[in-house]
């Protein structure tokens, strides 16, 4: 085993006995939600995974190691501290060798999950092709990571702060299957629709697990994006969201926000301006994704 990996004993035991495990990211804790909701949500999501019979493994970087299965205390630290790096794939060797605290994005979490042998990862929404990417070239490393790493990602679709159409095109180019659970329309995180049809639809966890097994057994490397539409009770009207997104994008441009700061800035702006409404929707959808991901993890 790789000397830079630290696997929590509960996760190691589950790996040993082939029990289902669900990986969870930490960027959402340190850079995606405010304290204390971030910590409450991270612990709640772990509890939902356990209630569904799987073992949660929240992933982050600490003390020069990629930690697979953070403790509650570590999650609390990541939720409170202001000096936790946002670690995408390119940042991983720096943060490990410098022994910084690092919250892992979808890309870095997937890679570490794969090092540990975990196949299912649950998050809120992946990074994607940003609006205006034709000039900024701002395309998340989550997408290129999904092209090569054999870990399936359960999400609520692609956030409408991104260009959802271009993100779907890019996923197609990279050969990443996109399947929506129980719906013909591809969801947009806070809303059940995005104006785009889902490339694929499946209505049961079993079918999804069978598709993952088929993909990887054939040697087709990479992820599958599983989109789980937010429940109707928690969804926000896409037209209402669009106004906040436009305002957030304008504020980011005015403040000169670029690079890795863009996504956290937009999420914070939207949460502040919807008076927490977007945050509540975000929490609800992650919980629902955790339940679905756990059920899928039994069949893989
Ligand atoms: N979506 C959310 N909250 C988040 C993120 C995505 O609802 O916090 C995080 C994820 O960790 C994702 C990252 O991998 O943002 C993407 O960042 P970037 O766009 O800089 O690649
Ligand atoms: Mn980016």
């Amino acid at each position: 085993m790789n000397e830079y990996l630290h696997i929590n004993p509960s996760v190691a035991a589950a790996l040993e006995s082939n029990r289902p495990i669900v990986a969870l990211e930490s960027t959402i804790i340190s850079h995606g939600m405010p304290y204390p909701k971030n910590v409450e949500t991270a612990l709640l999501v772990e509890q939902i995974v356990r209630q569904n019979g799987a073992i949660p493994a929240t992933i982050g970087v600490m003390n020069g190691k990629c930690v697979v299965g953070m403790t509650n205390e570590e999650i609390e630290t990541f939720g409170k501290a202001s000096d936790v790096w946002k670690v995408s794939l390119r940042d991983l060797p720096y943060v490990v060798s410098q022994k910084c605290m690092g919250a892992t994005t979808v890309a870095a979490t997937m890679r570490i999950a794969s090092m540990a042998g975990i196949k299912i990862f649950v998050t809120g929404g992946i990074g994607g092709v940003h609006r205006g990417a034709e000039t900024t070239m701002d395309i998340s490393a989550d997408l290129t990571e999904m092209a090569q790493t054999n870990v399936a990602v359960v999400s609520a679709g692609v956030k409408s702060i991104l260009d959802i159409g271009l993100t779907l095109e890019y996923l197609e180019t990279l050969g990443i299957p996109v399947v929506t659970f129980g719906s013909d329309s591809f969801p947009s995180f806070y809303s059940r629709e995005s104006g785009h049809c889902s490339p694929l639809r499946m209505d049961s966890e079993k079918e999804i697990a069978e598709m993952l097994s088929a993909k990887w057994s054939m040697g087709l490397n990479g992820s599958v994006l599983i989109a789980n539409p937010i429940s109707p009770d928690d969804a926000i009207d896409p037209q209402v969201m669009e106004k906040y997104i436009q305002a957030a994008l304008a504020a980011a441009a005015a403040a000169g926000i670029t690079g890795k700061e863009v996504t956290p800035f937009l999420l914070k702006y939207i949460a502040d301006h919807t008076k927490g409404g977007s945050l509540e929707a975000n929490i609800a959808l992650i919980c629902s994704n955790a339940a679905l991901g756990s059920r899928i993890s039994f069949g893989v």
Side-chain angles (χ1 to χ4, degrees):
M1 191 173 297
N2 142 7
E3 62 173 297
Y4 297 106
L5 205 56
H6 170 76
I7 303 185
N8 174 307
S10 75
V11 178
L15 282 166
E16 187 95 347
S17 53
N18 242 332
R19 274 180 292 147
I21 306 173
V22 171
L24 301 161
E25 64 157 303
S26 46
T27 287
I28 198 161
I29 305 174
S30 297
H31 303 282
M33 287 185 189
Y35 181 83
K37 286 272 181 193
N38 55 358
V39 174
E40 285 166 23
T41 305
L43 298 178
L44 176 61
V45 165
E46 288 203 341
Q47 197 184 323
I48 291 170
V49 170
R50 285 194 194 93
Q51 280 163 357
N52 283 275
I55 307 294
T58 300
I59 291 178
V61 179
M62 262 170 302
N63 308 319
K65 303 262 190 199
C66 299
V67 177
V68 180
M70 292 170 64
T71 64
N72 291 1
E73 294 70 33
E74 289 164 349
I75 288 174
E76 177 82 20
T77 303
F78 269 48
K80 268 188 182 158
S82 57
D83 57 346
V84 182
W85 273 67
K86 175 183 166 189
V87 178
S88 190
L89 200 60
R90 60 139 193 215
D91 311 294
L92 201 47
Y94 177 90
V95 169
V96 166
S97 61
Q98 292 284 314
K99 302 190 166 51
C100 309
M101 281 194 291
T104 50
T105 63
V106 168
T109 305
M110 283 179 73
R111 184 64 70 95
I112 297 167
S114 150
M115 290 175 192
I118 302 173
K119 297 196 175 74
I120 303 288
F121 165 47
V122 164
T123 185
I126 60 165
V129 180
H130 282 258
R131 296 187 189 191
E134 57 275 26
T135 50
T136 62
M137 289 190 68
D138 190 353
I139 300 174
S140 177
D142 292 353
L143 298 182
T144 41
E145 184 60 22
M146 289 180 76
Q148 50 178 327
T149 297
N150 298 0
V151 175
V153 179
V154 182
S155 72
V158 172
K159 249 185 307 329
S160 32
I161 58 169
L162 301 168
D163 189 317
I164 298 178
L166 291 187
T167 303
L168 286 169
E169 290 294 345
Y170 204 85
L171 287 161
E172 181 188 354
T173 301
L174 296 174
I176 302 164
V178 175
V179 53
T180 300
F181 184 68
S183 173
D184 293 324
S185 23
F186 185 68
S188 57
F189 199 77
Y190 301 116
S191 314
R192 291 175 60 81
E193 260 112 51
S194 62
H196 297 272
C197 290
S198 180
L200 304 168
R201 168 187 177 149
M202 282 180 167
D203 293 287
S204 75
E205 292 82 353
K206 184 167 170 281
E207 285 175 288
I208 295 177
E210 282 168 359
M211 183 168 86
L212 296 176
S213 300
K215 180 177 201 280
W216 295 326
S217 299
M218 285 189 284
L220 296 171
N221 287 331
S223 186
V224 169
L225 179 62
I226 299 155
N228 179 32
I230 186 170
S231 90
D233 292 344
D234 300 310
I236 304 178
D237 180 339
Q239 268 144 13
V240 171
M241 257 342 277
E242 182 59 25
K243 294 207 179 78
Y244 290 108
I245 292 164
Q246 297 278 355
L249 290 166
I257 305 293
T258 56
K260 67 193 278 189
E261 311 305 332
V262 171
T263 298
F265 180 94
L266 296 175
L267 292 176
K268 182 172 188 313
Y269 184 99
I270 293 168
D272 289 347
H273 288 76
T274 55
K275 301 190 177 57
S278 70
L279 186 56
E280 289 312 314
N282 200 342
I283 294 168
L285 66 86
I286 296 176
C287 291
S288 157
N289 295 349
L292 178 63
S294 304
R295 297 195 304 265
I296 294 171
S297 71
F298 275 84
V300 186

